[in-house]
Amino acid sequence: MSISKKEYKRVTVKSLIEMKKQGEKISMLTAYDYSMAKIVDDAKVDVILVGDSASNVMAGHETTLPITLDQMIYHASSVIRAVNRALVVVDLPFGSYQSDPKEALRSAIRIMKESGAHAVKVEGGIEIKESVKRILNAGIPVMGHLGLTPQAIYKFGTYTVRAKEKDEAEKLMEDAELLEKLGCFAIVLEKIPALLTRKVSENITIPTIGIGGGKHADGQVLVIHDLLGMTHEFNPRFLRRYMNLYEDMGNAISRYVSDVKSRDFPSDDEQY
């Protein structure tokens, strides 16, 4: 049975709740700069995540930990200037919210005021309860993130699938219920068993967004560089590449180099 889709001129937190109720899947992609965000928004992606994955794909760091709040604000500001339709969510970076609820609020306020973003995203459950409460009490929408939380990679020691064991799965369920109760508008579920994603998605009323969480999530998110094949060494099971830009761009640049060396570029028609 086909599901009729409501056309959203502007996607909001409320829109995502409506999509879940209507059974419409939510599309979410990352973007970190104006040009890419313009393309993503024009393609009618529902949510654009200015992810701390910029630390990896934009700056070349091994983890997401090094990126700073100032850098996240810079990327978010660039994205916001390109967007007309999508809801723009910005990751609070490592160290800006975990230990001190007052600092968490200050960080979230800076992102909202200085970038013009629509919401923030945080990793964790009960451990960051007070920070989430403080941000929400200020009227700032919060998206949660459970399962594999990259900011805690040195605690886990590996990027393997999370919550396969009963105790961790039960805690994830409890954390999801807590985040909903606190007032989060959605939760990213990263790299957890598909059946657990289904259980969580059916148990809470706010949308779940999966990345490596299987088809039962209410929506899906990928890193745009992975989807387009700009990265080529990262090959997790959950990734579907829709292009191979690493190869295509390399070939185009090689042709340019060759044309310059052979004096073919610029031609008579390409000069004044």
Side-chain angles (χ1 to χ4, degrees), residues 132-225:
V132 172
K133 285 173 63 177
R134 187 68 66 99
I135 296 169
L136 286 166
N137 285 341
I140 299 172
V142 175
M143 175 181 282
H145 185 144
L146 299 172
L148 176 63
T149 48
Q151 291 180 9
I153 185 56
Y154 290 124
K155 174 184 175 183
F156 294 143
T158 175
Y159 286 103
T160 191
V161 177
R162 305 303 311 173
K164 291 190 292 184
E165 303 300 327
K166 181 180 178 182
D167 289 348
E168 189 177 353
E170 289 178 349
K171 182 183 184 304
L172 189 145
M173 284 289 300
E174 292 170 359
D175 283 340
E177 292 171 356
L178 172 64
L179 292 175
E180 177 184 28
K181 184 177 180 180
L182 290 174
C184 291
F185 69 89
I187 302 173
V188 170
L189 298 176
E190 181 168 359
K191 217 165 182 185
I192 65 172
L195 291 180
L196 180 58
T197 295
R198 180 175 187 171
K199 188 175 180 181
V200 173
S201 302
E202 291 175 349
N203 193 56
I204 61 176
T205 60
I206 59 175
T208 58
I209 310 293
I211 176 166
K215 63 184 179 181
H216 301 296
D218 300 304
Q220 299 293 330
V221 59
L222 285 175
V223 172
I224 187 69
H225 291 67

Side-chain angles (χ1 to χ4, degrees), residues 14-262:
K14 182 181 176 182
S15 305
L16 302 187
I17 303 292
E18 289 178 352
M19 289 179 190
K20 172 159 182 162
K21 289 181 179 178
Q22 295 164 1
E24 178 183 347
K25 295 290 187 178
I26 298 163
S27 61
M28 179 166 154
L29 282 173
T30 64
Y32 316 99
D33 62 83
Y34 176 89
S35 298
M36 189 70 81
K38 184 70 174 171
I39 296 169
V40 172
D41 189 56
D42 285 349
K44 296 190 183 303
V45 167
D46 298 315
V47 185
I48 293 178
L49 173 65
V50 185
D52 56 5
S53 47
S55 179
N56 309 114
V57 298
M58 300 298 288
H61 294 296
E62 184 180 2
T63 72
T64 62
L65 274 62
I67 200 163
T68 67
L69 183 61
D70 285 339
Q71 290 168 333
M72 290 302 302
I73 290 170
Y74 166 79
H75 286 294
S77 300
S78 302
V79 167
I80 278 289
R81 285 190 283 270
V83 171
N84 292 311
R85 179 182 178 275
L87 178 76
V88 178
V89 181
V90 182
D91 270 330
L92 281 176
F94 176 72
S96 68
Y97 65 94
Q98 285 93 341
S99 61
D100 183 353
K102 292 182 180 179
E103 182 180 14
L105 178 58
R106 286 193 294 268
S107 300
I109 287 175
R110 281 199 61 199
I111 284 177
M112 301 296 283
K113 285 178 68 70
E114 296 178 37
S115 76
H118 309 136
V120 298
K121 182 169 77 65
V122 295
E123 296 182 8
I126 194 170
E127 304 86 358
I128 59 165
K129 174 182 175 180
E130 296 306 317
S131 291
V132 172
K133 285 173 63 177
R134 187 68 66 99
I135 296 169
L136 286 166
N137 285 341
I140 299 172
V142 175
M143 175 181 282
H145 185 144
L146 299 172
L148 176 63
T149 48
Q151 291 180 9
I153 185 56
Y154 290 124
K155 174 184 175 183
F156 294 143
T158 175
Y159 286 103
T160 191
V161 177
R162 305 303 311 173
K164 291 190 292 184
E165 303 300 327
K166 181 180 178 182
D167 289 348
E168 189 177 353
E170 289 178 349
K171 182 183 184 304
L172 189 145
M173 284 289 300
E174 292 170 359
D175 283 340
E177 292 171 356
L178 172 64
L179 292 175
E180 177 184 28
K181 184 177 180 180
L182 290 174
C184 291
F185 69 89
I187 302 173
V188 170
L189 298 176
E190 181 168 359
K191 217 165 182 185
I192 65 172
L195 291 180
L196 180 58
T197 295
R198 180 175 187 171
K199 188 175 180 181
V200 173
S201 302
E202 291 175 349
N203 193 56
I204 61 176
T205 60
I206 59 175
T208 58
I209 310 293
I211 176 166
K215 63 184 179 181
H216 301 296
D218 300 304
Q220 299 293 330
V221 59
L222 285 175
V223 172
I224 187 69
H225 291 67
D226 298 336
L227 177 148
L228 294 176
M230 296 175 74
T231 56
H232 66 292
E233 296 174 342
F234 180 62
N235 294 294
R237 181 189 300 184
F238 65 79
L239 174 59
R240 180 182 295 183
R241 285 197 168 89
Y242 287 80
M243 297 184 73
N244 186 4
L245 282 188
Y246 184 88
E247 183 176 317
D248 292 344
M249 291 172 71
N251 289 338
I253 293 166
S254 294
R255 286 169 52 205
Y256 163 75
V257 171
S258 177
D259 288 350
V260 170
K261 298 289 186 181
S262 67

